[in-house]
């Protein structure tokens, strides 16, 4: 009789032990920041579901022209995108604004519901392809004070290091709320999100993505990308805000093998090659109403500034106040986990043209030429250590 | 006072009426055990209860289970589920006219479906007419899906989500069988209402024939006025094997409305091969099904929705003990294994020419105890790997499922 009781108890106790364990926290990009309140965790979960599980259909507002059917399909596991999910933007060549807004600019909706014709790039319009970025740690980047970004800028290269990071001054969206301590200049604010730093905050980024990527109108972005007319919101404002909160409170990537010799050596070589001048290892957040984001030091390897990256990466297209050859320094954190969201390979740089970290480094030009040359001057073993370090991020 | 009298009188009347039912009148209808029953006969090859010579017989089955599954270390914990409660009513209208209905309550009463409600008229063994709500004979599982017949708590993924069992529609058709010695040859051909745009415009985010079932009007009207054609032929040798080949196809999209052309006609075509046999020496039963789905999708629509799919399953069931178990003399204990696979999106990305992921494979070892032919108690351990569209590292699922399924 005892044996009969023991068997089901053993079976029940084995339930969890015989199930597949989850990957370690440092192997995945998703998951919330620590120290969120229970209420904040609930909002994180709502945003997680809206971001990763909600697939839009014709009935729920998809398109009719679109790029993707859900947020999560472009950011698998909250990581970088894949050429399948790459966006195409066209029609702007200078700070004068987009000349093709009446022809469907700035974003190409190259997919369409059956019965509709997708957009084509208008003749004569220059364009660039944008690989969807990783979402991880966005809240920390959002919480960096404007004054900190300004302090890193050196547009006139006064320190003569060849690096002249520029602030991206952009016109704010009507619905954007200035962040605590926000700085504006002639009605413009500091952009920090997007390849050209043309988005002010995560609400701006999210509302535009719903609208231009999926064809979903909201109270924030009510104009249909199909016919240019203002329509009823196709998504609840609270859902958009939940997604913004989700993006804000995703944890930062956790570095792996940080104390191994190769990683330590690689980091030192990365710094000595002056890569860290733009890819700044450490930033600090200012005040944030979300405690978990307030006054935190973190390690994104970016300065959130625009830099001249040379002619090779100049597609002849730009956004906001950036020039066509300027790109915002992308954060390097999470770089080593990119393969897990990009289908097993690397698709790096703004359009995914680099198939390895080494190739991405070698495509750097402009202000980064000196750093690239420094990297190339390293021995093969040293370059390997730099790559091992970057993969650990 | 009058009301009290009526209530008491009613109670007495009901009690008297109940007492007058003679339980010996309830009889199990005989099941044909000739060995030449095919999957197409499954609808009527069920244990029915009839009352005396009353021309209506009843039956049904229920299945419930416990499960504890986890995916990538995250679990919903201990779950108790009443998956299905199904009622059959069969009626012999006359010697060669019969009617069968099957009503299924899924997940408690969250879903109530009339899965089958058809009138059969036998003109000749080779020519029978069938009309009403029928089960489209694509593959074998759709026809032969009763829980007590299977050793596994979950239905096969390829059969339920790809084909998509249970898939029934309003329509008409013919079927027939012929026998020669130990051989039986059968055919079925039906015209029914069909699929709709939801197969490529759904919240699942992939081509899903099963999503078409979400259209609440599909039993009232055809989505586009074009019938779905379902054809099946099967051959069986007594005590050896059955092989079935089936096709189902038609137009799935709303290509016109109010006489206005909206789009070109777009087809969905499915093919299935099913097979079952029992090795006579070991009594090892093998049941397998493989299917292919082809969907015409505009090239300007996202590749997230696959133009081609394929998948199937193999169930192997090995009896290891026959005899008395827990005081039930006709018990059979089986070891079983299900292997299953679905590629939801066969093809290569236009952008990279790399392989599109989005596939599923599963392995389910099981132990089942059949105290009698009509009841199964089953213990499964489920192992699943699911890869996303881009082919990133798969989500790993695993866990226990323990449950029963029984005719009643």
């Amino acid at each position: 009789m005892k044996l009969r009781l023991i068997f089901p108890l053993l079976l029940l106790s084995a339930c969890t032990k015989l199930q597949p364990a989850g990957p370690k926290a440092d192997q995945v990009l998703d998951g919330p920041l620590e120290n969120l309140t229970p209420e904040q965790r609930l909002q994180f979960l709502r945003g997680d579901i809206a971001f990763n599980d909600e697939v839009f259909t014709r009935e729920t507002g998809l398109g009719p022209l679109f790029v993707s059917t859900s947020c999560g399909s472009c950011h698998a596991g909250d990581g970088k995108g894949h050429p399948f999910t790459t966006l195409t933007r066209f029609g702007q060549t200078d700070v004068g604004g987009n000349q093709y807004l009446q022809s469907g600019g700035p974003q190409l909706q190259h997919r369409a519901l059956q019965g509709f014709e997708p957009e084509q790039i208008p003749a004569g319009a220059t364009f660039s392809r944008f690989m969807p970025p990783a979402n991880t740690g966005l809240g920390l980047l959002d919480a960096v004070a404007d004054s900190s970004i300004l302090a890193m800028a050196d547009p006139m290269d006064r320190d003569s290091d060849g690096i002249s990071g520029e602030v991206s001054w952009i016109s704010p969206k009507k619905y954007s709320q200035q962040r605590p301590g926000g700085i504006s200049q002639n009605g413009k604010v500091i952009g920090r999100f997007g390849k050209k730093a043309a988005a002010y905050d995560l609400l701006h980024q999210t509302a535009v993505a719903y609208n231009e990527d999926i064809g979903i109108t909201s109270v924030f972005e009510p104009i249909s990308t199909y016919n240019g007319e203002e329509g009823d919101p196709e998504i609840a404002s609270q859902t958009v805000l939940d997604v913004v909160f989700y993006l804000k409170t995703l944890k930062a990537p956790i570095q792996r093998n940080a104390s191994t010799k190769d990683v330590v050596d690689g980091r030192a070589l990365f710094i000595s090659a002056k890569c860290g001048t733009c890819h700044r290892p450490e930033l600090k957040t200012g005040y944030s109403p979300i405690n978990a984001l307030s006054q935190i030091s973190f390690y994104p390897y970016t300065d959130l500034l625009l830099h001249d990256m040379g002619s090779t990466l100049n597609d002849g297209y730009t956004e906001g106040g950036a020039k066509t050859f300027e790109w915002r320094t992308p954060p390097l954190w999470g770089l080593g986990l990119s393969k897990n969201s990009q289908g097993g390979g690397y698709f790096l740089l703004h359009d995914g043209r680099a198939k390895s970290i080494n190739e991405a480094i070698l495509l750097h030009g402009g202000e980064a030429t000196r750093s690239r040359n420094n990297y190339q001057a390293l021995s093969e073993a040293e370059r390997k250590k730099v790559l091992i370090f970057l993969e650990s991020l | 006072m009058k009301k009290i009298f009526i209530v008491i009188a009613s109670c007495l009347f009901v009690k008297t009426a109940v007492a007058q039912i003679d339980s010996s009148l309830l009889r199990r209808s005989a099941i044909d055990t000739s060995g030449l029953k095919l999957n197409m006969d499954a609808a009527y090859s069920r244990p029915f209860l009839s009352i005396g010579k009353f021309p209506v017989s009843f039956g049904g089955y229920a299945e419930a289970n416990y499960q504890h599954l986890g995916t990538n270390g995250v679990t919903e914990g201990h779950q108790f589920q009443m998956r299905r409660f199904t009622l059959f009513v069969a009626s012999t209208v006359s010697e060669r006219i019969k009617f069968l209905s099957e009503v299924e309550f899924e997940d408690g009463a969250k879903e109530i479906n009339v899965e089958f409600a058809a009138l059969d008229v036998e003109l000749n063994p080779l020519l029978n007419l069938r009309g009403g709500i029928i089960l489209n004979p694509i593959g074998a599982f759709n026809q032969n899906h009763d829980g007590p017949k299977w050793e596994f708590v979950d239905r096969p993924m390829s059969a339920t989500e790809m084909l998509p069992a249970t898939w029934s529609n309003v329509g008409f058709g013919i079927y027939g069988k012929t026998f020669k010695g130990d051989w039986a040859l059968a055919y079925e051909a039906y015209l029914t209402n069909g699929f709709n745009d939801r197969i490529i415009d759904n919240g699942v985010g992939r081509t899903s024939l099963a999503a078409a079932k979400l259209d609440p009007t599909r039993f009232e009207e055809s989505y586009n006025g074009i019938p779905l054609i379902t054809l099946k032929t099967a051959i069986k040798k007594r005590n050896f094997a059955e092989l079935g080949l089936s096709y189902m196809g038609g137009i799935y999209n709303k290509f016109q409305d109010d006489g206005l052309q909206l789009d070109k006609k777009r087809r969905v075509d499915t093919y299935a091969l099913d097979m079952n046999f029992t090795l006579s020496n070991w009594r090892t039963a093998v049941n397998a099904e493989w299917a292919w789905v082809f969907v015409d999708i505009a090239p300007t629509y996202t590749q997230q929705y696959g133009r081609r799919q394929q998948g199937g399953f193999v169930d192997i069931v090995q009896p290891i003990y026959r005899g008395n178990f827990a005081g039930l003399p006709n018990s059979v204990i089986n070891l079983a294994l299900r292997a299953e696979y679905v590629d939801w999106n066969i093809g290569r990305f236009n952008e990279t020419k790399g392989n599109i992921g989005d596939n599923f494979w599963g392995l389910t070892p099981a132990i089942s105890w059949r105290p009698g032919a009509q009841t199964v108690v089953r213990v499964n351990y489920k192992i699943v790997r699911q890869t996303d569209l881009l082919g990133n590292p798969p989500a790993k699922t695993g866990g226990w499922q323990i449950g029963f399924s029984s005719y009643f």
Side-chain angles (χ1 to χ4, degrees), chain B residues 82-368:
Chain B
M82 180 74 191
R83 296 207 183 190
R84 286 175 197 86
F85 171 67
T86 301
L87 296 173
F88 320 130
V89 179
S91 164
T92 303
V93 180
S94 70
E95 192 180 341
R96 293 196 295 179
I97 300 177
K98 54 189 179 179
F99 184 86
L100 173 70
S101 64
E102 177 182 344
V103 180
E104 186 162 283
F105 300 82
E106 289 191 13
D107 302 321
K110 197 170 83 179
E111 277 187 47
I112 302 172
N113 300 309
V114 179
E115 294 206 325
F116 190 91
L119 187 75
D120 285 26
V121 180
E122 183 188 345
L123 303 178
N124 179 288
L126 255 178
L127 183 60
N128 297 265
L129 309 179
R130 175 173 284 175
I133 296 176
I134 64 160
L135 285 162
N136 298 67
I138 182 73
F141 188 87
N142 200 44
Q143 296 180 298
N144 198 359
H145 58 260
D146 289 0
K149 294 182 176 176
W150 301 83
E151 318 303 308
F152 304 92
V153 172
D154 279 343
R155 293 176 166 186
M157 181 65 83
S158 62
T160 55
E161 295 298 317
M162 197 179 79
L163 274 182
T166 48
W167 173 243
S168 50
N169 282 290
V170 184
F172 296 88
I174 54 174
Y175 65 91
K177 281 192 288 188
T178 184
F179 302 92
K180 190 168 186 181
D182 284 342
W183 291 86
L185 180 67
Y187 77 93
E188 294 177 84
Y190 299 100
L191 296 177
T192 64
N193 287 343
F195 291 99
N196 52 62
D197 282 312
R198 287 178 195 244
I199 66 176
I200 58 146
D201 183 28
N202 55 59
V204 188
R206 66 163 64 102
T207 297
S208 168
L209 301 195
K213 293 194 282 189
L214 299 173
D215 178 4
T217 66
R218 70 191 185 90
F219 289 115
E220 294 170 31
E221 58 182 8
S222 167
Y223 186 65
N224 54 25
I226 307 284
L228 181 74
I229 299 169
T230 312
L231 306 169
K232 180 166 186 180
T233 183
I235 188 167
K236 180 168 185 174
K237 186 171 190 291
R238 190 193 309 273
N239 300 328
F240 178 59
E242 175 182 350
L243 182 68
L245 181 64
S246 47
Y247 163 79
M248 176 171 70
I251 306 297
Y252 71 88
N253 67 324
K254 182 82 91 180
F255 58 90
Q256 65 177 15
D257 203 4
D258 260 355
L260 294 174
Q261 192 78 16
L262 303 176
D263 192 8
K264 65 174 261 199
K265 290 179 184 173
R266 297 190 183 278
R267 293 191 61 81
V268 54
D269 294 291
T270 60
Y271 301 86
L273 191 63
D274 62 80
M275 181 183 67
N276 66 77
F277 61 87
T278 304
L279 299 175
S280 54
N281 290 346
W282 288 70
R283 294 186 178 179
T284 308
V286 177
N287 199 344
E289 180 175 301
W290 194 266
W292 298 263
V293 176
F294 299 85
V295 187
D296 173 19
I297 301 176
T300 51
Y301 197 56
T302 172
Q303 278 190 287
Q304 182 181 342
Y305 292 87
R307 276 71 176 164
R308 286 185 292 151
Q309 299 179 327
Q310 66 169 335
F313 68 93
V314 182
D315 284 6
I316 302 169
V317 181
Q318 178 62 59
I320 55 168
Y321 174 78
R322 288 170 186 273
N324 192 320
F325 184 79
L328 293 159
N330 297 318
S331 291
V332 179
I333 294 177
N334 299 301
L335 288 180
L337 179 71
R338 167 175 291 163
E340 50 185 330
Y341 174 78
V342 183
D343 188 340
W344 302 109
N345 196 335
I346 302 170
R348 295 185 171 276
F349 287 113
N350 293 333
E351 293 81 1
T352 62
K353 308 305 174 201
N355 191 40
I356 298 175
D358 205 5
N359 50 50
F360 162 100
W361 71 261
L363 209 57
T364 310
I367 301 173
S368 68

Side-chain angles (χ1 to χ4, degrees), chain A residues 11-12 15-16 18-22 55 57-59 66 69 76 82-84 111-112 114-115 118 339-343, chain B residues 66 68 70 72-73 200-203 252 263 266 297-298 300-302 304 349 351-352 381 389-390 392-393 396 398 402:
Chain A
L11 204 60
L12 285 176
C15 284
T16 49
L18 287 175
Q19 286 168 14
V55 178
T57 64
R58 187 188 293 252
E59 206 171 27
F66 61 94
T69 59
H82 179 274
F84 171 67
R111 297 182 175 119
Q114 293 196 143
K339 285 192 285 190
N340 292 348
S341 66
Q342 297 192 304
Chain B
Y66 156 85
H68 194 289
N72 284 352
I200 58 146
D201 183 28
N202 55 59
Y252 71 88
D263 192 8
R266 297 190 183 278
I297 301 176
T300 51
Y301 197 56
T302 172
Q304 182 181 342
F349 287 113
E351 293 81 1
T352 62
Y381 186 78
L389 189 75
L390 305 176
N392 289 313
K396 298 176 182 175
I402 303 166

Side-chain angles (χ1 to χ4, degrees), chain A residues 202-275:
Chain A
L202 294 171
L203 177 58
H204 177 170
Q205 189 83 351
T206 303
V208 169
Y210 267 119
N211 188 239
E212 295 190 347
D213 298 358
I214 313 179
I216 298 295
T217 54
S218 62
V219 294
F220 308 106
E221 295 287 343
I223 307 297
S224 163
T225 54
Y226 174 61
N227 56 23
E229 293 174 5
E230 187 165 336
D232 291 335
E234 293 167 319
I235 188 169
S237 304
Q238 188 57 51
T239 304
V240 178
L241 296 175
D242 288 343
V243 168
V244 170
F245 188 85
Y246 168 73
L247 296 173
K248 269 187 184 177
T249 51
L250 276 167
K251 72 177 192 208
I254 301 167
Q255 191 180 7
R256 296 154 309 285
N257 309 316
S259 56
T260 61
K261 186 171 186 315
D262 282 350
V263 171
V264 172
D265 291 351
R267 186 180 188 280
L269 290 164
F270 177 85
I271 299 298
S272 68
K274 305 293 182 193
C275 305

Side-chain angles (χ1 to χ4, degrees), chain A residues 111-167:
Chain A
R111 297 182 175 119
L113 293 174
Q114 293 196 143
F116 291 85
E117 285 300 317
E119 289 178 333
Q120 304 285 332
I121 298 174
T126 56
F127 67 91
S128 189
R129 293 202 167 89
F130 287 180
M131 179 66 64
N135 303 325
T136 187
L138 290 179
L140 293 164
L141 297 176
D142 187 60
V144 173
D146 280 354
S147 56
S148 299
I149 297 176
L150 272 174
M152 290 184 281
D154 183 17
M156 306 310 291
D157 192 18
R158 293 187 195 284
D159 60 4
S160 303
D161 65 352
I163 305 296
S164 54
E166 284 198 62
V167 166

